[in-house]
Amino acid sequence: MSTAIEIILVDDDADLRRATQQTLELAGFAVRAFSNAAAMLSETTAETRGIVVTDIRMPGMDGLQLFSRLKAIDADLPVILITGHGDIQMAVQALQDGAYDFIAKPFAADRLVQSVRRAAEKRRLVLENRALRQMAESAGDDLPLIGQTPAMERLRATLRQIADTDVDVLVAGETGSGKEVVATLLHRWGRRRSGQFVALNCGALPETVIESELFGHEPGAFTGAQKKRIGRIEHAGGGTLFLDEIESMPLATQVKMLRVLEMREVMPLGTNEVRPIDLRVVAAAKVDLGDPSQRGSFREDLYFRLNVVTISIPPLRERRGDIPLLFSHFLHRAAQRFRRDVPDLPAFVHHHLMSHDWPGNVRELAHYAERTVLGLAEDAAAPIRDDTPPGLSLPDRMEHHEAALIRQALADNAGDVRRTIEALGIPRKTFYDKLQRHQISRTDYEA
Ligand SMILES: Nc1ncnc2c1ncn2[C@@H]1O[C@H](COP(=O)(O)OP(=O)(O)OP(=O)(O)O)[C@@H](O)[C@H]1O
Ligand SMILES: [Mg+2]
């Protein structure tokens, strides 16, 4: 078990080095010994499977300098310091700075072996955890579809089932619910993954642009069309065309798109040429196109053509069980991105997670995680505490609150005028005026 973790020994004293190496080898450890810190350092990376045992007093780089250099390479690498007579103070400091242990010379073999054994076990766990995390990350790749609720399990199963078919898919879901993630996974999990994933946002482009973007054009097809242009439909040949916000597609374009879907051919603007195309279309809509009241000007025939398979992503508020997992994922991602530690979560964050409605769905949750990591999440849901007697007018309630705030500030500052004024941020005269008006006696608050 511990033999897999190597002990890296650094000591300039050849006799001591040999003796220590022997002690550790007798205890069953593999030892790699160095006579100076620089040589050892040059062979160390964050992947080093070892722990370090180093003497402090050495010519050149000493043990403490080595320790701080190692910390920069891998803060989780255990370092055990061997200290001489006068070094205890320094060693204690090093311990506070994160050294694993220090052992004062002369030491009993047992003392060293025990410390090394614990350090090796700790190292083994760290490395194991890292490996697990890496595995999870690479398996989930850069675009995970996180969620363990039955709804998400079903969604994943459906995606797997249809990814490899060529069927066109309509993805429906509220903003931020993961429509683009689903479209991308349909492409990546399917056999078209070697082709292009070409996305076009039908809501972002003016009507005049969208057609030449989609179908392409010949030079002179319209004013301003100087060069020939290959459309996105053709670009997606062999791959997937993702039509985002399809509900915003202009009516005239819808007619042409229907033809593309039915005939599997495209006619670039300004040509009579028909080119066969081989693509899968995935369309995304924020509204329920099946509902005539939401469909608006969207053509029913195009809807039926797209609706061969519809994947509906439920809004986050209908799968609240996924919130903790998603939040934890985004929290770790944000911590990494902003180079911060994952913070302990204040109670109001937990409360917000469980009580908020998440109209912006997963995207909103991801942003909330980022704000939390940056310490910017605020207790927005905190209701204003209002203990005013019922039936008072707003100005009277304000008065009531003002008096309460002043009393609180006085109590917090034990009646100290200067500090209370500072805390309230008001001039001295105003302060005394208010005391009088609210009949507050400052001396009541003196310690
Ligand atoms: N199940 C999920 N697991 C992990 N990340 C997710 C999941 N669902 C969505 N996300 C992330 O949330 C963000 C929003 O997702 P996406 O862009 O797919 O939403 P959308 O439905 O296309 O939104 P919009 O309608 O506003 O375009 C993205 O950063 C995406 O990676
Ligand atoms: Mg989107």
Side-chain angles (χ1 to χ4, degrees):
M1 172 203 73
S2 48
T3 44
I5 299 290
E6 168 181 64
I7 313 306
I8 303 164
L9 176 64
V10 192
D11 198 328
D12 60 309
D13 183 321
D15 291 338
L16 242 130
R17 192 170 65 236
R18 223 167 291 128
T20 310
Q21 175 160 9
Q22 213 168 41
T23 303
L24 291 171
E25 282 174 350
L26 277 174
F29 291 105
V31 180
R32 197 149 50 108
F34 293 87
S35 62
N36 68 83
M40 181 263 155
L41 201 55
S42 70
E43 289 189 24
T44 304
T45 67
E47 267 72 53
T48 295
R49 288 198 56 82
I51 67 149
V52 178
V53 177
T54 179
D55 192 19
I56 290 192
R57 292 268 166 109
M58 292 186 291
M61 189 189 304
D62 69 23
L64 291 173
Q65 287 168 324
L66 175 63
F67 163 57
S68 69
R69 296 281 292 272
L70 289 172
K71 208 163 69 168
I73 295 174
D74 182 352
D76 294 324
L77 183 64
V79 176
I80 297 171
L81 298 161
I82 308 277
T83 65
H85 217 47
D87 306 332
I88 305 274
Q89 202 86 43
M90 282 191 285
V92 170
Q93 180 60 46
L95 219 52
Q96 274 162 12
D97 292 343
Y100 184 76
D101 195 5
F102 75 86
I103 295 174
K105 279 193 266 194
F107 53 85
D110 259 8
R111 168 79 178 84
L112 175 69
V113 168
Q114 264 174 30
S115 180
V116 163
R117 190 159 279 146
R118 272 185 284 118
E121 177 60 13
K122 182 179 175 209
R123 182 64 173 162
R124 190 182 63 78
L125 286 175
V126 165
L127 293 174
E128 209 172 86
N129 277 337
R130 276 193 201 159
L132 281 176
R133 209 176 324 135
Q134 259 165 25
M135 230 164 63
E137 270 162 21
S138 57
D141 72 32
D142 60 321
L143 194 78
L145 184 68
I146 294 168
Q148 291 177 327
T149 49
M152 289 305 280
E153 299 281 7
R154 270 199 306 276
L155 178 65
R156 256 195 304 272
T158 310
L159 287 182
R160 289 240 155 70
Q161 229 169 30
I162 61 172
D164 243 347
T165 68
D166 259 349
V167 65
D168 295 333
V169 179
L170 178 62
V171 185
E174 290 181 5
T175 184
S177 60
K179 295 185 294 297
E180 184 150 0
V181 176
V182 163
T184 310
L185 291 180
L186 278 174
H187 177 74
R188 288 197 195 166
W189 289 355
R191 61 180 129 90
R192 294 180 166 271
R193 70 179 78 90
S194 54
Q196 294 254 40
F197 178 83
V198 179
L200 181 76
N201 188 324
C202 307
L205 296 171
E207 190 167 340
T208 43
V209 180
I210 196 166
E211 293 207 351
S212 77
E213 279 294 326
L214 270 176
F215 308 110
H217 60 73
E218 287 297 303
F222 50 87
T223 338
Q226 279 146 2
K227 278 190 255 163
K228 173 187 164 91
R229 174 177 192 100
I230 305 286
R232 304 248 180 138
I233 291 174
E234 273 186 86
H235 267 305
T240 306
L241 176 67
F242 176 47
L243 297 175
D244 205 356
E245 297 191 27
I246 189 134
E247 71 271 24
S248 313
M249 183 179 269
L251 213 51
T253 317
Q254 290 178 33
V255 181
K256 292 187 184 161
M257 200 59 218
L258 183 64
R259 185 191 151 87
V260 171
L261 291 176
E262 281 179 341
M263 313 299 286
R264 298 282 146 179
E265 55 187 34
V266 64
M267 197 192 288
L269 307 183
T271 67
N272 290 316
E273 198 185 326
V274 189
R275 298 180 194 158
I277 42 131
D278 161 37
L279 86 173
R280 160 188 246 171
V281 175
V282 178
K286 283 195 184 68
V287 300
D288 180 1
L289 292 175
D291 176 352
S293 72
Q294 293 187 44
R295 193 186 301 142
S297 65
F298 199 80
R299 289 179 65 103
E300 194 176 20
D301 50 5
L302 181 55
Y303 165 68
F304 283 125
R305 179 61 193 71
L306 286 170
N307 188 33
V308 182
V309 174
T310 293
I311 294 182
S312 293
I313 309 176
L316 194 54
R317 64 182 169 280
E318 287 174 18
R319 47 181 166 108
R320 304 197 73 98
D322 287 332
I323 291 176
L325 201 63
L326 279 164
F327 190 67
S328 156
H329 165 73
F330 292 129
L331 215 53
H332 282 88
R333 200 183 62 178
Q336 203 167 41
R337 186 178 297 165
F338 301 135
R339 296 172 192 283
R340 300 277 178 101
D341 289 332
V342 174
D344 290 332
L345 301 182
F348 73 80
V349 169
H350 286 288
H351 181 260
H352 187 64
L353 289 178
M354 294 332 286
S355 62
H356 187 54
D357 230 22
W358 303 106
N361 293 291
V362 183
R363 182 182 295 112
E364 185 184 358
L365 186 68
H367 288 167
Y368 187 64
E370 288 175 1
R371 287 203 306 280
T372 302
V373 165
L374 293 174
L376 299 176
E378 273 169 16
D379 195 355
I384 298 170
R385 261 198 24 244
D386 186 353
D387 51 6
T388 48
L392 289 185
S393 68
L394 179 62
D396 287 342
R397 285 161 73 193
M398 299 291 280
E399 283 288 294
H400 192 93
H401 273 298
E402 184 175 274
L405 288 171
I406 292 171
R407 286 198 188 92
Q408 185 63 54
L410 278 166
D412 289 348
N413 296 291
D416 184 289
V417 175
R418 192 182 52 77
R419 280 189 288 139
T420 305
I421 289 175
E422 221 167 77
L424 291 170
I426 53 175
R428 181 175 288 263
K429 173 155 186 339
T430 315
F431 173 66
Y432 280 114
D433 288 347
K434 288 186 189 294
L435 287 191
Q436 198 166 33
R437 182 147 51 85
H438 297 299
Q439 299 178 347
I440 298 171
S441 161
R442 183 190 64 81
T443 48
D444 288 352
Y445 295 89
E446 281 177 346

